[in-house]
Coordinates of all heavy atoms in Angstrom, one line a residue:
S1 N 46.9 -72.9 -129.1 CA 47.3 -71.5 -128.7 C 48.8 -71.4 -129.1 O 49.6 -72.3 -129.0 CB 47.1 -71.2 -127.2 OG 47.8 -72.2 -126.4
V2 N 49.2 -70.2 -129.5 CA 50.5 -69.9 -129.9 C 51.0 -68.6 -129.3 O 50.2 -67.8 -128.8 CB 50.7 -69.9 -131.5 CG1 50.3 -71.2 -132.1 CG2 49.8 -68.8 -132.0
T3 N 52.3 -68.3 -129.4 CA 52.8 -67.1 -128.9 C 52.1 -65.9 -129.6 O 52.0 -65.8 -130.8 CB 54.3 -67.0 -129.2 OG1 55.0 -68.1 -128.6 CG2 54.9 -65.7 -128.6
G4 N 51.6 -65.0 -128.8 CA 50.8 -63.9 -129.3 C 49.3 -64.1 -129.5 O 48.6 -63.2 -129.8
R5 N 48.9 -65.4 -129.3 CA 47.5 -65.7 -129.4 C 47.2 -66.8 -128.4 O 47.2 -68.0 -128.6 CB 47.1 -66.2 -130.8 CG 45.6 -66.3 -131.1 CD 45.3 -66.3 -132.5 NE 43.9 -66.3 -132.8 CZ 43.1 -67.4 -133.0 NH1 43.7 -68.6 -133.1 NH2 41.8 -67.3 -133.2
S6 N 46.9 -66.3 -127.2 CA 46.8 -67.2 -126.0 C 45.4 -67.8 -126.0 O 44.5 -67.5 -126.8 CB 46.9 -66.4 -124.7 OG 45.8 -65.5 -124.6
A7 N 45.2 -68.8 -125.1 CA 43.9 -69.5 -125.0 C 42.8 -68.4 -124.6 O 41.7 -68.5 -125.1 CB 44.0 -70.6 -123.9
R8 N 43.2 -67.5 -123.8 CA 42.3 -66.4 -123.4 C 41.8 -65.6 -124.6 O 40.6 -65.3 -124.7 CB 42.9 -65.5 -122.3 CG 42.0 -64.5 -121.7 CD 42.7 -63.7 -120.6 NE 43.0 -64.6 -119.4 CZ 44.3 -65.0 -119.1 NH1 45.3 -64.5 -119.8 NH2 44.5 -65.8 -118.1
Q9 N 42.8 -65.3 -125.5 CA 42.4 -64.5 -126.6 C 41.5 -65.3 -127.6 O 40.6 -64.7 -128.2 CB 43.7 -64.0 -127.3 CG 44.5 -63.0 -126.6 CD 45.9 -62.7 -127.2 OE1 46.6 -63.7 -127.5 NE2 46.3 -61.5 -127.3
I10 N 41.9 -66.5 -127.8 CA 41.1 -67.4 -128.7 C 39.6 -67.5 -128.2 O 38.7 -67.3 -129.0 CB 41.7 -68.8 -128.8 CG1 43.1 -68.7 -129.5 CG2 40.8 -69.8 -129.5 CD1 43.9 -69.9 -129.4
L11 N 39.5 -67.8 -126.9 CA 38.1 -67.9 -126.4 C 37.4 -66.6 -126.3 O 36.2 -66.5 -126.5 CB 38.2 -68.6 -125.0 CG 38.7 -70.0 -125.0 CD1 38.6 -70.6 -123.6 CD2 37.9 -70.9 -126.0
A12 N 38.1 -65.5 -126.1 CA 37.5 -64.2 -126.2 C 36.9 -63.9 -127.5 O 35.8 -63.3 -127.7 CB 38.5 -63.1 -125.8
E13 N 37.6 -64.3 -128.6 CA 37.1 -64.2 -130.0 C 35.8 -65.0 -130.2 O 34.9 -64.5 -130.8 CB 38.1 -64.6 -131.0 CG 39.4 -63.7 -131.0 CD 40.5 -64.3 -131.8 OE1 40.3 -65.4 -132.5 OE2 41.6 -63.7 -131.9
I14 N 35.8 -66.2 -129.6 CA 34.6 -67.0 -129.8 C 33.4 -66.5 -129.0 O 32.3 -66.5 -129.6 CB 34.9 -68.5 -129.3 CG1 36.0 -69.1 -130.2 CG2 33.7 -69.3 -129.2 CD1 36.5 -70.4 -129.6
V15 N 33.7 -66.0 -127.8 CA 32.6 -65.3 -127.0 C 32.0 -64.2 -127.8 O 30.7 -64.0 -127.9 CB 33.1 -64.9 -125.7 CG1 32.1 -64.0 -125.0 CG2 33.4 -66.1 -124.8
K16 N 32.8 -63.4 -128.4 CA 32.3 -62.2 -129.2 C 31.6 -62.6 -130.4 O 30.5 -62.1 -130.7 CB 33.5 -61.3 -129.5 CG 33.1 -60.0 -130.2 CD 34.3 -59.1 -130.5 CE 33.9 -57.8 -131.2 NZ 35.1 -57.0 -131.4
E17 N 32.2 -63.6 -131.2 CA 31.6 -64.0 -132.4 C 30.2 -64.7 -132.2 O 29.3 -64.5 -133.0 CB 32.5 -65.0 -133.1 CG 33.8 -64.4 -133.7 CD 34.8 -65.5 -134.1 OE1 34.4 -66.7 -134.0 OE2 35.8 -65.1 -134.6
R18 N 30.1 -65.4 -131.1 CA 28.9 -66.1 -130.8 C 27.8 -65.3 -130.0 O 26.7 -65.7 -129.8 CB 29.2 -67.4 -129.9 CG 30.1 -68.4 -130.6 CD 29.2 -69.4 -131.4 NE 30.0 -70.2 -132.3 CZ 29.7 -71.4 -132.8 NH1 28.5 -71.9 -132.4 NH2 30.4 -72.0 -133.6
G19 N 28.3 -64.1 -129.6 CA 27.3 -63.2 -128.9 C 26.9 -63.7 -127.6 O 25.8 -63.5 -127.1
L20 N 27.9 -64.4 -126.9 CA 27.6 -65.0 -125.6 C 27.5 -63.9 -124.5 O 28.4 -63.1 -124.4 CB 28.6 -66.0 -125.2 CG 28.8 -67.2 -126.2 CD1 30.0 -68.1 -125.8 CD2 27.5 -67.9 -126.4
K21 N 26.4 -63.8 -123.8 CA 26.2 -62.7 -122.9 C 26.6 -63.1 -121.4 O 27.1 -62.2 -120.7 CB 24.8 -62.3 -122.9 CG 24.3 -61.8 -124.3 CD 25.1 -60.7 -124.8 CE 24.6 -60.2 -126.2 NZ 25.4 -59.1 -126.7
K22 N 26.4 -64.3 -121.0 CA 26.6 -64.7 -119.6 C 27.4 -66.0 -119.6 O 26.9 -67.1 -120.1 CB 25.3 -64.9 -118.9 CG 25.4 -64.9 -117.4 CD 24.0 -64.8 -116.8 CE 24.1 -64.8 -115.2 NZ 22.8 -64.7 -114.6
V23 N 28.6 -66.0 -119.1 CA 29.5 -67.2 -119.1 C 29.9 -67.6 -117.7 O 30.2 -66.7 -116.8 CB 30.8 -66.9 -119.9 CG1 31.8 -68.0 -119.8 CG2 30.4 -66.6 -121.4
G24 N 29.7 -68.9 -117.4 CA 30.1 -69.3 -116.0 C 31.6 -69.6 -115.9 O 32.2 -69.9 -116.9
F25 N 32.1 -69.5 -114.7 CA 33.5 -69.8 -114.4 C 33.5 -70.5 -113.1 O 32.6 -70.6 -112.3 CB 34.3 -68.5 -114.4 CG 34.2 -67.7 -113.2 CD1 35.1 -67.8 -112.1 CD2 33.1 -66.8 -113.0 CE1 34.9 -67.0 -111.0 CE2 32.9 -66.0 -111.9 CZ 33.9 -66.1 -110.9
E26 N 34.7 -71.1 -112.7 CA 34.9 -71.9 -111.5 C 35.6 -71.1 -110.5 O 36.8 -71.0 -110.5 CB 35.7 -73.1 -111.8 CG 35.4 -73.8 -113.2 CD 36.7 -74.2 -113.9 OE1 37.6 -73.3 -114.1 OE2 36.8 -75.3 -114.3
A27 N 34.9 -70.5 -109.6 CA 35.4 -69.7 -108.5 C 36.4 -70.5 -107.6 O 37.3 -69.9 -107.0 CB 34.3 -69.0 -107.7
Q28 N 36.1 -71.8 -107.5 CA 36.9 -72.6 -106.6 C 38.4 -72.8 -107.1 O 39.3 -73.0 -106.4 CB 36.4 -74.1 -106.5 CG 34.9 -74.1 -106.1 CD 34.0 -74.2 -107.2 OE1 34.2 -73.6 -108.3 NE2 32.9 -75.0 -107.1
Y29 N 38.6 -72.6 -108.4 CA 39.9 -72.8 -109.0 C 40.6 -71.5 -109.5 O 41.8 -71.5 -109.7 CB 39.8 -73.8 -110.2 CG 39.4 -75.2 -109.7 CD1 38.1 -75.6 -109.8 CD2 40.4 -76.1 -109.2 CE1 37.7 -76.9 -109.4 CE2 40.0 -77.3 -108.8 CZ 38.7 -77.8 -108.9 OH 38.3 -79.0 -108.4
M30 N 39.8 -70.5 -109.8 CA 40.4 -69.3 -110.4 C 40.9 -68.3 -109.4 O 40.1 -68.0 -108.5 CB 39.3 -68.7 -111.3 CG 39.9 -67.6 -112.2 SD 38.6 -66.9 -113.4 CE 38.4 -68.3 -114.5
T31 N 42.1 -67.9 -109.5 CA 42.6 -66.9 -108.6 C 42.0 -65.5 -108.9 O 41.4 -65.3 -110.0 CB 44.2 -66.8 -108.7 OG1 44.5 -66.2 -110.0 CG2 44.8 -68.1 -108.5
V32 N 42.2 -64.6 -108.0 CA 41.7 -63.2 -108.3 C 42.3 -62.6 -109.5 O 41.7 -62.0 -110.3 CB 41.9 -62.3 -107.0 CG1 41.6 -60.9 -107.3 CG2 41.1 -62.8 -105.8
E33 N 43.6 -62.8 -109.6 CA 44.4 -62.3 -110.8 C 43.9 -62.9 -112.1 O 43.7 -62.2 -113.1 CB 45.9 -62.5 -110.6 CG 46.7 -62.1 -111.8 CD 46.7 -60.6 -112.0 OE1 46.3 -59.8 -111.0 OE2 47.0 -60.1 -113.1
E34 N 43.6 -64.2 -112.1 CA 43.1 -64.8 -113.3 C 41.7 -64.3 -113.6 O 41.4 -64.1 -114.8 CB 43.1 -66.4 -113.1 CG 44.4 -67.0 -113.1 CD 44.4 -68.5 -112.7 OE1 43.4 -68.8 -111.9 OE2 45.3 -69.2 -113.0
Y35 N 40.9 -64.1 -112.6 CA 39.6 -63.6 -112.9 C 39.6 -62.3 -113.5 O 38.9 -62.0 -114.5 CB 38.8 -63.5 -111.5 CG 37.4 -62.9 -111.7 CD1 36.3 -63.6 -112.2 CD2 37.2 -61.6 -111.4 CE1 35.1 -63.0 -112.4 CE2 36.0 -60.9 -111.6 CZ 35.0 -61.7 -112.0 OH 33.7 -61.1 -112.2
R36 N 40.5 -61.4 -113.0 CA 40.6 -60.0 -113.6 C 41.0 -60.1 -115.0 O 40.5 -59.3 -115.9 CB 41.6 -59.2 -112.7 CG 41.1 -58.8 -111.4 CD 42.2 -58.2 -110.5 NE 41.6 -57.8 -109.2 CZ 42.4 -57.5 -108.2 NH1 43.7 -57.6 -108.2 NH2 41.8 -57.1 -107.0
L37 N 41.9 -61.0 -115.4 CA 42.4 -61.1 -116.7 C 41.3 -61.6 -117.7 O 41.1 -61.1 -118.8 CB 43.6 -62.1 -116.8 CG 44.9 -61.5 -116.2 CD1 45.9 -62.6 -116.2 CD2 45.4 -60.3 -117.0
W38 N 40.5 -62.6 -117.2 CA 39.4 -63.1 -118.0 C 38.3 -62.1 -118.1 O 37.7 -61.9 -119.2 CB 38.8 -64.4 -117.4 CG 39.7 -65.6 -117.7 CD1 40.5 -66.3 -116.8 CD2 39.7 -66.3 -118.9 NE1 41.1 -67.4 -117.5 CE2 40.6 -67.4 -118.8 CE3 39.1 -66.2 -120.2 CZ2 40.9 -68.3 -119.8 CZ3 39.3 -67.1 -121.2 CH2 40.2 -68.1 -121.0
E39 N 38.0 -61.4 -117.0 CA 37.0 -60.4 -117.0 C 37.3 -59.3 -118.0 O 36.4 -58.7 -118.7 CB 36.8 -59.8 -115.6 CG 35.7 -58.8 -115.5 CD 35.6 -58.2 -114.1 OE1 36.6 -57.9 -113.5 OE2 34.4 -58.0 -113.6
K40 N 38.6 -58.9 -118.1 CA 39.0 -57.9 -119.0 C 39.0 -58.4 -120.5 O 38.6 -57.6 -121.4 CB 40.5 -57.5 -118.7 CG 41.0 -56.3 -119.5 CD 42.4 -56.0 -119.1 CE 43.0 -54.9 -120.0 NZ 44.4 -54.5 -119.5
A41 N 39.3 -59.6 -120.7 CA 39.3 -60.2 -122.1 C 38.0 -60.5 -122.7 O 37.8 -60.3 -123.9 CB 40.2 -61.4 -122.1
L42 N 37.0 -60.9 -121.8 CA 35.7 -61.4 -122.3 C 34.7 -60.3 -122.3 O 34.5 -59.7 -121.3 CB 35.2 -62.6 -121.5 CG 36.2 -63.8 -121.4 CD1 35.5 -64.9 -120.6 CD2 36.5 -64.3 -122.8
E43 N 34.0 -60.1 -123.5 CA 33.0 -59.1 -123.6 C 31.6 -59.8 -123.2 O 30.7 -60.0 -124.0 CB 32.9 -58.6 -125.0 CG 34.2 -57.8 -125.4 CD 34.0 -57.2 -126.8 OE1 32.9 -57.1 -127.3 OE2 35.1 -56.8 -127.3

């Protein structure tokens, strides 16, 4: 990951390219703010 292309953006591109519909996440570790950012980024 580099400035302007974060890990979140990179993985969002992969999710879109691969047509992934349902992705699991770790509620025990993810904050509410992080969840909102991932939810917004991932289709």
Side-chain angles (χ1 to χ4, degrees):
S1 59
V2 296
T3 302
R5 193 164 184 259
S6 67
R8 188 176 294 111
Q9 291 170 315
I10 291 168
L11 295 183
E13 292 170 5
I14 294 171
V15 167
K16 184 176 181 179
E17 290 169 0
R18 298 268 167 162
L20 304 176
K21 301 301 182 184
K22 196 171 184 179
V23 174
F25 75 99
E26 320 135 310
Q28 306 95 320
Y29 294 99
M30 192 176 288
T31 67
V32 173
E33 178 63 19
E34 287 170 336
Y35 174 81
R36 288 171 177 164
L37 291 171
W38 281 104
E39 185 182 39
K40 182 178 180 180
L42 302 182
E43 295 182 17

